[in-house]
Amino acid sequence: MTARIQYLDQVIAQPDFWNNPTLAYETLQEIEYSIFYKHQQYQRWCSILEDIKAALELLELSADEQLWQEVQTNLTQLQQELETAEIRQLLSDPHDKKGALLTITAEVDNADSQYWAYMLLQMYWRWGKRHNYQLDVVEISEGSESKVKYATLEITASYAYGYLKSETGIHQLQQISPFDVINSLRTSLASVEVIPILDESVEWEILEKDLQITRWQCNSRNINYSETWVKVVHIPSGISVFCNQQRNQMQNKEKALAILKSKLLAMSTTGYAYALAQSVEQIDQIQPRQIKSLSNKLIREYILHPYTKVKDLRTNVETPAATEI
């Protein structure tokens, strides 16, 4: 790792380093990650190991329950961090290190499916908080009684996309409907789409003629009543983004355009592959028929009645601890 840092230091010292802004940005990102994350993390592990060894030497001389508990705590923590590092080594795709945009959509326009979408949003929110990730709901369309038709969660953290990309697909819930007076058993569906947040090194603008931007228009004389939502539609692909969580329309427009760019760059289509091979301008030629959604496949089922179980339908791994997901 030290040798890699030294090599990168030589790279940035070259007089033509800034001639390629994209490559320069990627190099600086790698240096930042190597120095401020990997290197510090390695030094931290060495420090924990030294503490453990010193504690064990003291325990050989005299039994100390508190010191023994400290050793066990340090060992557990070190094991967890090493397991995390091992997983990250497996996330080798260039996009895996990026943050993620996670969109949840109720598949049916009814109370049960919208409530299931709300439950999923809460589940991913809690997961992100447990990992100390920066979370922001950037677009949401609410149903009645605090239910969710669709919502997009922006997760700003290293490897958020790598961890979450396998969540893309249809999630199915089976439970007693809380909205049915006869307590009938209902099956609800919600789709989850995960895409990487657009890298700042990618510099391109969507043609203005390919955009349809709709803003809320205030017709009321009550100056205390205002809305800030903005809807942006990419006409060639039909992709739309609705943002209403920022403080003003300008911020919502900027956020909507950023999300739209990320969605266009993440599209798994022959049109996009061709665009990358030719030039990013070809992205504007993508047509709706070329879009292949990855979020229309059933990947997981959550059963809350008559028993509890969560099963991943791709790996057949299951657990009865449905309430802990």
Side-chain angles (χ1 to χ4, degrees):
M1 182 166 53
T2 302
R4 180 62 179 172
I5 293 174
Q6 291 174 346
Y7 168 76
L8 293 172
D9 189 50
Q10 293 175 358
V11 170
I12 65 174
Q14 298 301 314
D16 60 346
F17 174 71
W18 297 105
N19 291 350
N20 188 333
T22 299
L23 182 60
Y25 181 86
E26 292 174 351
T27 303
L28 292 175
Q29 269 198 324
E30 184 178 352
I31 291 175
E32 181 183 14
Y33 178 70
S34 298
I35 294 176
F36 296 104
Y37 182 77
K38 281 189 174 181
H39 194 60
Q40 287 188 0
Q41 188 180 55
Y42 175 74
Q43 291 180 326
R44 169 181 160 76
W45 292 339
C46 290
S47 177
I48 293 176
L49 279 174
E50 290 300 321
D51 290 344
I52 291 173
K53 287 193 292 184
L56 289 175
E57 290 175 359
L58 292 174
L59 287 170
E60 287 181 355
L61 300 175
S62 174
D64 185 324
E65 182 62 27
Q66 183 176 352
L67 186 58
W68 174 242
Q69 290 294 332
E70 183 180 331
V71 168
Q72 289 182 312
T73 299
N74 285 338
L75 278 172
T76 300
Q77 181 180 352
L78 183 60
Q79 181 182 14
Q80 291 174 343
E81 292 188 14
L82 289 172
E83 288 176 353
T84 299
E86 183 179 9
I87 292 173
R88 290 188 172 184
Q89 283 294 106
L90 298 175
L91 299 176
S92 57
D93 186 277
H95 293 308
D96 287 342
K97 295 181 182 180
K98 297 178 180 179
L101 291 166
L102 185 146
T103 300
I104 303 167
T105 306
E107 286 295 287
V108 181
D109 189 16
N110 61 32
D112 288 289
S113 290
Q114 291 176 15
Y115 186 59
W116 174 222
Y118 168 78
M119 291 170 66
L120 284 173
L121 179 62
Q122 293 298 307
M123 181 183 76
Y124 289 117
W125 183 274
R126 289 195 298 269
W127 176 85
K129 285 297 183 182
R130 286 200 303 269
H131 288 78
N132 296 317
Y133 290 166
Q134 181 180 332
L135 304 171
D136 185 24
V137 177
V138 294
E139 60 172 338
I140 187 168
S141 176
E142 298 179 348
S144 59
E145 300 178 23
S146 300
K147 296 181 285 291
V148 172
K149 294 180 180 179
Y150 68 85
T152 296
L153 183 62
E154 183 179 47
I155 305 171
T156 307
S158 295
Y159 287 96
Y161 176 70
Y163 283 123
L164 288 168
K165 62 183 181 181
S166 61
E167 295 298 301
T168 294
I170 299 292
H171 296 242
Q172 176 177 288
L173 171 69
Q174 179 178 301
Q175 69 168 354
I176 298 295
S177 173
F179 308 102
D180 193 332
V181 293
I182 61 174
N183 295 325
S184 58
L185 188 64
R186 293 288 180 86
T187 297
S188 304
L189 300 173
S191 66
V192 174
E193 178 190 39
V194 184
I195 62 173
I197 294 177
L198 177 65
D199 198 297
E200 294 180 9
S201 65
V202 180
E203 297 181 1
W204 60 277
E205 294 296 328
I206 303 174
L207 297 179
E208 193 171 329
K209 67 180 181 63
D210 290 333
L211 290 175
Q212 178 182 330
I213 300 177
T214 307
R215 299 177 176 85
W216 182 85
Q217 300 294 327
C218 179
N219 297 318
S220 172
R221 294 183 179 180
N222 183 358
I223 60 175
N224 294 319
Y225 179 77
S226 65
E227 290 283 351
T228 62
W229 65 261
V230 174
K231 181 179 180 180
V232 177
V233 178
H234 182 248
I235 299 171
S237 66
I239 294 176
S240 66
V241 177
F242 177 87
C243 281
N244 61 348
Q245 297 298 296
Q246 305 302 312
R247 292 185 176 181
N248 56 59
Q249 286 189 336
M250 180 61 69
Q251 290 176 332
N252 275 318
K253 177 185 174 182
E254 291 175 354
K255 180 64 69 175
L257 287 171
I259 295 173
L260 179 60
K261 289 180 181 179
S262 292
K263 288 191 174 187
L264 287 171
L265 285 172
M267 279 167 39
S268 178
T269 69
T270 54
Y272 176 54
Y274 176 78
L276 284 184
Q278 303 298 316
S279 70
V280 292
E281 293 178 0
Q282 298 295 327
I283 291 176
D284 298 304
Q285 299 178 14
I286 295 174
Q287 299 301 315
R289 65 177 181 278
Q290 294 175 302
I291 301 174
K292 299 177 182 178
S293 176
L294 300 177
S295 59
N296 57 5
K297 181 180 180 181
L298 184 62
I299 65 163
R300 193 174 300 135
E301 60 180 10
Y302 305 72
I303 299 175
L304 301 183
H305 188 84
Y307 51 87
T308 60
K309 182 180 76 172
V310 177
K311 181 177 181 179
D312 191 288
L313 303 178
R314 298 159 296 183
T315 62
N316 289 324
V317 174
E318 60 182 67
T319 174
T323 57
E324 299 178 9
I325 298 299

